[in-house]
């Protein structure tokens, strides 16, 4: 429905005296959903505009990061919908393999059971049951925020259709030899009992120990250093650099590995840095990725000494010990044999941890499934280099290229039960068969399916097209792919964005999944610190919504959204946004009570006052400015522009300047009422994408029409009146200067003062009544004495301050302030004139003194001007 089909304005619109968000937000949202405003029609002739939601985990709940991202996406889609696009904001959730399995396993543990007690099939059924009962609470929270998503199209990464997409692309990649199975070192979580990808490892500095161990005896000995002494049980070589003269006599020989009775070779490899430590390294190919590569080059055996729970499996006294227990025991045994050359504790070093459960990662040799990313990553990089896809802000391109240009093959198998099971069957004679979605798996004795599931990011990488029905060639896919823009955090540029780029280009014949990638920063607290429960600064956005309304939270988040930069947020800022919503409400209510209307065409400019023409000129400039900021994804700037236009220009100036016109009535009041109605109509539509609830209530009351959600987006009419803008700027200068003078003299804002205004021959003359109203200036009466005279903007404002201030006391106060400022100036000049001081003082100290001097000069000039304007005592 377009704006011109909505119902006509209601007569005598009324609004409650106060805005109560809790009483209107929920009802308004349900009305929008019931009327289908957010749904998208693939058969529409309108141009498409598509954004997918970065699918939140089914285990998740709304946090400030979600609220921030969703606010930005909602603002974009609401605007495009108003501009006449067939707009689809695609909702859905991710099955979140490890996280969800962990949640359900914890529930089972409360019953004294494990997943193995249930078996795979029953456990997976239990997860589906948990999803139906407890998962997806974030959907309800998204409604609270006002997310305009197409709920009828909601998807889940393990829906039947999306599962078919996963199986289809796996089969296609396998047939194209871009998926393979190999034994390599992977990141292993001994708690989650699964492989995890490099980007799911979080590194932090931990206190550890660095021990130096002597291998061999006498001249045939080598000292190596390690932070993981337990892995020495799996050493199969010692490596040195080929050019290291210290060890050339040992290369090709064997030395004894302590505690084991085994002899291992000394090999020469250029990977070794001869300048680091002793220039020799222990080689444990089954438990270190670099060592694995050395082992491959030299044909070394891979000796695994730990199981999947990081328990020692090597025969001997350490068998059955946890890796950390074994570490202490092995160091003690080596010390007893005199093998420890040096020990350093604590030794702070970077250690990888599982991003899900925070357990220390164990590099482990394991047979896994991999994606050969080389050609896929090249296509993903070229799409940005060739301009098919733009990254905003552009400076983020370097991070993107650094990632995709250096991608290692992607380990996609996970040793879990919850997820998309790998569609590969193994036969009794070593056969391997990959099965597509329309194919029957091989049957018969000895055939079994791979027990692993796919990495969660494998299915979410298909999100832009799997949600539209791919691999079927649906009308939705034809209409809404590729997406117009992706809005997401820079923190998942590597996790998600690069994978969508690789899969989209591969599956969709070289068409990238989106035209533009908009990267935003992370939400932080008001001091710029990362929000965390452990820091005690985490905020539940629902609490703020309950207290201040969803619009206040949304406006605060949008107002801090500079491209690619982290967003600080504090409760005081949300309060300020709540005050802004209240200001919009109260000012609109006043306007409606005083004749603001949208009925009939706008009067001809010749019938308008300069004030009317000024605000319409400023309105159109604001429309153009806001459009430009939207098109450049400058959310903070557009929110700031709207804030200052609404509060400063419309409410603080236009409404106040027009009060005398409204109170006088007549034709002038009618003209200004229609102008004010136009300004409010456009302003509320401009504000709607960011603060949808308060604007919906006010706009429908103002216009009597069905909903601002389906109203037309404002267009710049081209109307400009620079002369009117200059004229009102003069009025603003006069009012601002006199207000400042009044404040300097200690007058209360509402205190009335007799005044004579000499405006003759200036553009200010038509505005005398408004100026007097704004400045609380009474007409000069009998006995008027101009005790202060202010020349400003070519006019003179003479004030009679007798009886309003104690001139003698005010002069005494100002003289004291002037003396203090002059003393500060003298001290600053003294230091800056001292060559010895300048020679020794740091630059920042000198700069600080220069700043103090400038401030003193400014204070002296200001105070002297105040004294000059005061009448003689």
């Amino acid at each position: 429905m377009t704006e011109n089909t909505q119902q006509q304005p209601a007569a005598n619109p009324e609004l409650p005296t106060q805005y109560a968000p809790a009483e209107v937000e929920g009802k308004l949202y349900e009305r929008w959903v019931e009327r289908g405003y957010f749904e998208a029609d693939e058969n529409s002739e309108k141009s498409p505009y598509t954004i997918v939601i970065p699918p939140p985990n089914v285990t998740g709940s709304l946090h400030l990061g979600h609220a921030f991202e969703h606010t930005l996406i909602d603002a974009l889609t609401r605007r495009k919908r108003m501009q006449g696009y067939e707009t689809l904001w695609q909702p859905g959730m991710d099955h979140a393999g490890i996280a969800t399995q962990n949640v359900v396993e914890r529930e089972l543990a409360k019953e004294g059971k494990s997943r193995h007690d249930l078996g795979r099939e029953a456990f997976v059924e239990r997860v589906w049951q948990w999803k139906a009962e407890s998962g997806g609470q974030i959907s309800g929270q998204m409604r609270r925020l006002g997310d305009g998503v197409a709920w009828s199209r909601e998807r889940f990464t393990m829906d039947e259709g999306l599962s078919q997409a996963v199986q289809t692309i796996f089969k296609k990649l396998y047939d194209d030899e871009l998926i393979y199975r190999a034994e390599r070192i992977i990141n292993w979580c001994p708690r989650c009992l699964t492989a995890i990808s490099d980007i799911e490892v979080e590194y932090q500095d931990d206190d550890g120990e660095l021990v130096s161990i002597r291998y061999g005896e006498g001249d045939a000995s080598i000292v190596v250093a390690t932070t993981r002494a337990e892995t020495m049980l799996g050493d199969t070589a010692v490596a040195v650099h080929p050019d290291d003269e210290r060890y050339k006599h040992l290369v090709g020989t064997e030395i004894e590995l302590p505690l084991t009775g085994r002899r291992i070779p000394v090999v020469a490899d250029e990977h070794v840095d001869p300048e680091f430590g002793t220039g020799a390294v222990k080689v444990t190919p089954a438990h270190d990725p670099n060592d694995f590569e050395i082992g491959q080059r030299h044909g070394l055996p891979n000796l695994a000494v730990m199981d999947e729970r990081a328990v020692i499996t090597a025969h001997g006294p350490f068998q059955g010990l946890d890796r950390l227990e074994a570490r202490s025991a092995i160091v003690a045994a080596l010390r007893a044999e005199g093998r420890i050359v040096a020990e350093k504790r604590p030794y702070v070093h970077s250690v990888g941890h599982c991003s899900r459960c925070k357990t220390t990662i164990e590099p482990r040799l394991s047979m896994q499934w991999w994606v050969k990313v080389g050609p896929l990553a090249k296509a993903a990089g070229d799409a940005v280099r060739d301009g098919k896809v733009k990254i905003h802000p552009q400076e983020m391109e370097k991070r993107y290229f650094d990632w995709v240009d250096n991608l290692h093959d992607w380990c996609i198998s996970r040793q879990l039960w919850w997820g998309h099971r790998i569609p590969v069957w193994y036969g009794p004679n070593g056969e391997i068969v990959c099965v597509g979605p329309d194919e029957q798996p091989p049957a018969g004795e000895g055939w079994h399916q791979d027990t692993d599931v796919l990495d969660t990011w494998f299915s979410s990488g298909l999100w832009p097209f799997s949600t539209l029905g791919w691999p079927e060639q649906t009308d939705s896919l034809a209409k809404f792919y590729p997406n117009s823009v992706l809005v997401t955090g820079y923190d998942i540029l590597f996790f998600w964005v690069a994978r969508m780029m690789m899969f989209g280009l591969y599956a969709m014949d070289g068409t990238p999944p989106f035209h533009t990638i908009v990267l935003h920063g992370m939400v932080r607290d008001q001091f710029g610190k990362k929000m965390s429960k452990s820091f005690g600064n985490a905020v539940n956005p629902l609490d703020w919504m309950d207290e201040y309304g969803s619009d206040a939270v949304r406006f605060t988040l949008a107002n801090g959204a500079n491209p690619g930069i982290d967003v600080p947020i504090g409760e005081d800022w949300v309060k300020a946004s709540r005050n802004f919503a209240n200001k919009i409400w109260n000012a609109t209510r006043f306007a409606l009570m005083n004749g603001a209307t949208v009925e009939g065409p706008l009067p001809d400019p010749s019938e308008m006052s300069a004030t009317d023409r000024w605000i319409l000129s400023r309105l159109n400039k604001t429309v153009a400015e806001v459009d430009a900021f939207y098109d450049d994804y400058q959310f903070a700037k557009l929110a700031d522009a709207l804030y200052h236009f609404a509060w400063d220009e419309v409410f603080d100036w236009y409404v106040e300047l027009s009060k005398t016109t409204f109170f006088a009535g007549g034709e002038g009041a009618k003209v200004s009422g229609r102008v004010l109605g136009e300004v409010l109509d456009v302003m509320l539509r401009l504000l709607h994408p960011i603060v949808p609830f308060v604007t919906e209530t006010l706009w429908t009351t103002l216009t009597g029409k069905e909903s601002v959600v389906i109203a037309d987006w404002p267009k710049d009419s081209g109307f400009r009146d620079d002369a009117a803008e200059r004229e009102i700027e003069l009025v603003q200068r006069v009012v601002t200067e006199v207000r400042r003078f009044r404040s300097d003299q200690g007058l209360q804002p509402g205190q009335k003062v007799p005044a004579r205004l000499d405006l003759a021959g200036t553009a200010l003359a038509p505005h005398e009544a408004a100026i007097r109203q704004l400045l609380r200036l009474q007409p000069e009466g009998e006995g008027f004495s101009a005790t202060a005279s202010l020349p400003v903007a070519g006019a003179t404002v003479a004030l009679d301050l007798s009886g309003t201030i104690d001139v003698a006391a005010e002069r005494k106060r100002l003289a004291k302030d002037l003396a203090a400022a002059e003393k500060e100036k003298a001290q600053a000049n003294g230091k800056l004139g001292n060559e010895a001081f300048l020679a020794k003082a740091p630059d920042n100290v000198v700069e600080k003194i220069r700043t103090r001097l400038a401030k003193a000069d400014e204070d002296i000039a200001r105070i002297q001007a105040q004294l000059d304007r005061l009448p003689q005592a």
Side-chain angles (χ1 to χ4, degrees):
M1 181 181 291
T2 59
E3 186 191 25
N4 58 17
T5 63
Q6 298 187 31
Q7 64 192 62
Q8 292 305 304
N12 303 317
E14 294 182 2
L15 288 169
T17 55
Q18 291 184 322
Y19 178 49
E23 295 178 13
V24 302
E25 290 179 350
K27 295 175 184 176
L28 283 181
Y29 189 83
E30 290 310 313
R31 187 189 306 160
W32 293 334
V33 172
E34 288 168 6
R35 292 178 177 176
Y37 293 157
F38 305 140
E39 295 302 324
D41 181 3
E42 59 266 28
N43 297 313
S44 167
E45 294 183 359
K46 297 178 181 178
S47 298
Y49 186 81
T50 317
I51 296 181
V52 293
I53 192 172
N57 288 351
V58 68
T59 58
S61 59
L62 190 74
H63 56 65
L64 268 177
H66 287 128
F68 172 54
E69 185 169 82
H70 290 199
T71 294
L72 305 187
I73 299 174
D74 199 38
L76 291 174
T77 52
R78 284 179 182 268
R79 173 177 175 253
K80 286 297 182 180
R81 190 177 293 111
M82 295 171 75
Q83 286 183 318
Y85 287 81
E86 192 61 36
T87 303
L88 170 61
W89 182 9
Q90 172 67 56
M93 287 183 292
D94 192 285
H95 67 277
I98 296 176
T100 305
Q101 181 156 319
N102 283 347
V103 167
V104 178
E105 286 195 86
R106 284 195 294 269
E107 293 295 316
L108 284 175
K110 294 175 184 176
E111 304 170 16
K113 297 178 182 178
S114 74
R115 61 182 163 120
H116 300 285
D117 294 322
L118 272 66
R120 183 168 193 147
E121 187 175 338
F123 176 77
V124 171
E125 183 59 36
R126 179 71 176 259
V127 181
W128 278 109
Q129 180 184 337
W130 174 87
K131 190 251 180 191
E133 294 173 356
S134 307
Q137 62 175 310
I138 198 169
S139 295
Q141 296 165 344
M142 287 166 59
R143 293 170 182 264
R144 284 286 313 277
L145 187 65
D147 287 4
V149 299
W151 287 112
S152 70
R153 293 172 174 264
E154 188 174 12
R155 296 292 182 265
F156 181 53
T157 49
M158 285 187 63
D159 283 349
E160 183 178 349
L162 273 67
S163 295
Q164 183 184 19
V166 168
Q167 195 172 352
T168 299
I169 201 163
F170 187 99
K171 171 71 170 173
K172 181 174 170 60
L173 288 162
Y174 182 87
D175 290 346
D176 287 346
E177 298 183 349
L178 292 172
I179 281 183
Y180 63 95
R181 191 169 183 246
E183 190 176 43
R184 292 187 179 178
I185 293 285
I186 46 87
N187 303 299
W188 182 266
C189 176
R191 159 64 185 79
C192 298
L193 298 180
T194 182
I196 64 173
S197 66
D198 291 344
I199 51 181
E200 291 172 299
V201 178
E202 293 179 348
Y203 287 90
Q204 65 183 48
D205 287 341
D206 286 358
D207 286 344
E209 60 180 349
L210 180 69
V211 293
S212 298
I213 310 167
R214 178 172 53 83
Y215 289 10
E217 301 293 342
D219 290 341
S221 67
I222 293 182
V223 175
V224 298
T226 181
T227 59
R228 302 167 66 224
E230 68 278 9
T231 64
M232 68 157 290
L233 300 176
D235 285 0
T236 57
V238 170
V240 297
H241 193 274
D243 300 330
D244 196 329
E245 294 294 335
R246 293 171 294 176
Y247 303 116
K248 277 198 171 182
H249 67 291
L250 292 177
V251 174
T253 68
E254 290 186 342
I255 58 175
E256 184 175 337
L257 179 65
L259 306 181
T260 68
R262 288 191 292 114
R263 295 187 68 77
I264 58 176
V266 177
V267 299
D269 194 281
E270 292 189 352
H271 170 77
V272 180
D273 181 0
E275 304 298 324
F276 184 77
T278 63
V281 297
K282 57 192 288 297
V283 182
T284 321
H287 293 280
D288 184 274
N290 292 322
D291 293 1
F292 177 78
E293 297 296 332
I294 294 175
Q296 292 292 100
R297 288 193 288 272
H298 297 276
L300 301 175
N302 301 315
L303 183 59
V305 296
M306 274 181 265
D307 67 11
E308 69 274 9
R309 297 184 184 275
V311 172
I312 300 297
T313 58
H315 293 296
F318 312 109
Q319 186 175 10
L321 295 180
D322 172 79
R323 56 182 167 168
L324 298 181
E325 296 171 335
R327 183 177 300 171
S328 299
I330 287 169
V331 170
L334 290 166
R335 190 184 299 113
E337 289 192 3
R339 294 282 177 181
I340 301 296
V341 176
E343 296 179 70
K344 184 176 182 180
R345 294 191 187 89
Y347 179 72
V348 178
H349 62 132
S350 181
V351 178
H353 295 260
C354 173
S355 63
R356 304 295 181 187
C357 69
K358 311 309 177 188
T359 301
T360 300
I361 288 300
E362 190 64 44
R364 184 168 187 253
L365 186 65
S366 179
M367 183 67 75
Q368 302 285 344
W369 285 95
W370 304 80
V371 172
K372 188 184 296 183
V373 300
L376 303 175
K378 182 181 184 304
D382 289 346
V384 175
R385 289 188 175 93
D386 297 344
K388 289 182 181 178
V389 178
K390 297 187 182 303
I391 294 180
H392 186 89
Q394 190 174 359
E395 53 265 29
M396 285 286 182
E397 283 186 3
K398 183 180 183 302
R399 294 183 65 175
Y400 176 79
F401 293 136
D402 286 346
W403 179 253
V404 297
D405 293 347
N406 297 286
L407 268 180
H408 299 296
D409 283 1
W410 172 20
C411 177
I412 56 173
S413 44
R414 300 290 181 267
Q415 289 65 53
L416 304 171
W417 287 356
W418 173 245
H420 295 100
R421 195 164 173 179
I422 289 177
V424 171
W425 271 255
Y426 304 103
N429 299 311
E431 302 96 332
I432 299 178
V433 176
C434 180
V435 178
D438 300 321
E439 300 171 351
Q440 290 298 317
E445 186 175 350
W447 283 94
H448 64 281
Q449 187 178 359
D450 196 301
T451 57
D452 289 351
V453 300
L454 287 163
D455 178 11
T456 297
W457 297 102
F458 190 94
S459 52
S460 60
L462 313 180
W463 193 247
F465 50 95
S466 64
T467 51
L468 298 172
W470 188 90
E472 300 298 325
Q473 297 303 306
T474 64
D475 291 341
S476 288
L477 188 64
K479 179 73 174 180
F480 296 113
Y481 187 90
N483 289 190
S484 306
V485 63
L486 174 74
V487 179
T488 192
Y490 63 69
D491 57 316
I492 58 172
L493 178 62
F494 319 128
F495 285 85
W496 189 45
V497 179
R499 281 150 171 65
M500 286 190 290
M501 285 286 284
M502 290 191 296
F503 281 168
L505 289 160
Y506 173 73
M508 301 300 293
D509 299 322
T511 302
F514 19 73
H515 297 302
T516 304
I517 301 168
V518 175
L519 298 170
H520 58 71
M522 309 293 289
V523 178
R524 297 182 177 271
D525 72 11
Q526 64 200 81
F527 305 108
K529 190 174 182 180
K530 180 180 178 181
M531 286 193 173
S532 166
K533 289 181 181 178
S534 60
F535 295 155
N537 63 351
V539 173
N540 183 346
L542 296 173
D543 292 340
W544 281 352
M545 289 183 211
D546 290 341
E547 182 71 20
Y548 307 110
S550 297
D551 284 336
V553 174
R554 290 171 62 115
F555 191 82
T556 305
L557 291 165
N559 205 29
N562 289 297
I565 298 174
D566 289 346
V567 183
I569 184 172
E571 188 168 6
D572 286 346
W573 303 342
V574 184
K575 288 180 184 177
S577 296
R578 184 270 316 273
N579 295 343
F580 179 49
N582 288 341
K583 181 75 171 180
I584 299 170
W585 182 273
N586 294 332
T588 304
R589 185 171 178 272
F590 169 85
L592 289 170
M593 292 169 59
N594 286 275
T597 179
V598 295
E599 294 187 43
L602 272 175
D604 188 270
S606 62
E607 301 174 36
M608 298 178 189
S609 67
T611 307
D612 295 331
R613 297 194 304 277
W614 163 73
I615 197 62
L616 287 177
S617 184
R618 290 295 309 129
L619 174 68
N620 279 285
K621 286 183 178 179
T622 301
V623 170
E625 188 176 33
V626 168
D627 272 334
F629 287 144
Y630 261 117
D631 292 341
D632 198 34
Y633 305 101
Q634 298 279 358
F635 296 99
K637 290 182 178 180
L638 71 90
D640 187 67
L642 286 169
Y643 176 90
H644 287 293
F645 175 73
W647 194 307
D648 299 346
E649 297 186 294
V650 178
F651 304 146
D652 281 359
W653 284 108
Y654 181 73
V655 170
E656 294 300 322
L657 286 169
S658 300
K659 279 183 177 178
T660 52
T661 303
F662 287 132
F663 296 159
E667 196 59 34
K670 290 181 181 179
V671 170
S672 292
R674 180 63 189 90
V675 170
L676 180 53
E678 181 75 9
V679 170
L680 291 177
D681 171 19
V682 173
M683 183 193 76
L684 292 171
R685 283 186 279 151
L686 289 174
L687 282 164
H688 172 73
I690 300 178
V691 284
F693 295 107
V694 67
T695 52
E696 171 79 339
T697 305
L698 294 175
W699 189 84
T700 52
T701 303
L702 171 69
T703 65
K705 295 178 181 178
E706 182 181 330
S707 175
V708 69
V709 177
I710 52 172
D712 290 339
W713 181 253
K715 293 180 180 178
D716 175 8
S717 71
F719 177 80
R720 301 288 190 273
D721 194 324
D722 293 337
E725 290 196 40
R726 288 192 296 271
E727 186 171 320
I728 300 305
E729 283 171 10
L730 291 177
V731 174
Q732 291 171 326
R733 278 182 57 193
V734 169
V735 171
T736 301
E737 286 294 322
V738 176
R739 278 178 175 166
R740 184 180 294 119
F741 175 74
R742 287 176 57 110
S743 176
D744 288 344
Q745 307 312 314
L747 296 175
Q748 295 300 313
Q751 190 172 351
K752 295 183 178 179
V753 177
R756 180 173 63 240
L757 274 62
D758 183 6
L759 310 177
T762 74
L764 296 166
H767 304 282
E768 179 169 351
I771 292 171
R772 286 186 177 276
Q773 170 72 23
L774 288 167
L775 292 171
R776 304 294 187 267
L777 301 180
Q778 295 177 316
E780 53 186 300
E782 187 176 343
F784 175 84
S785 174
T787 57
S789 182
L790 283 76
V792 57
T796 304
V797 178
L799 305 174
D800 184 352
L801 301 180
S802 58
T804 58
I805 61 171
D806 184 334
V807 175
E810 186 64 14
R811 279 191 170 277
K812 185 176 180 181
R813 181 184 71 80
L814 290 172
K816 184 178 178 182
D817 290 347
L818 182 61
E822 287 173 337
K823 182 179 179 181
E824 175 75 4
K825 178 178 180 178
Q827 289 176 341
N829 274 327
K831 289 184 177 180
L832 293 174
N834 185 333
E835 294 296 335
F837 170 79
L838 292 177
K840 294 179 181 179
D843 290 345
N844 65 317
V845 172
V846 174
E847 185 59 33
K848 193 172 182 179
I849 294 171
R850 289 197 177 104
T851 301
R852 283 171 49 194
L853 176 60
K855 176 68 165 55
D857 282 334
E858 183 181 308
D859 289 344
I860 290 169
R862 175 179 55 80
I863 296 167
Q864 191 61 60
Q866 289 176 239
L867 282 167
D868 292 344
R869 288 196 292 260
L870 277 176
Q872 296 299 316

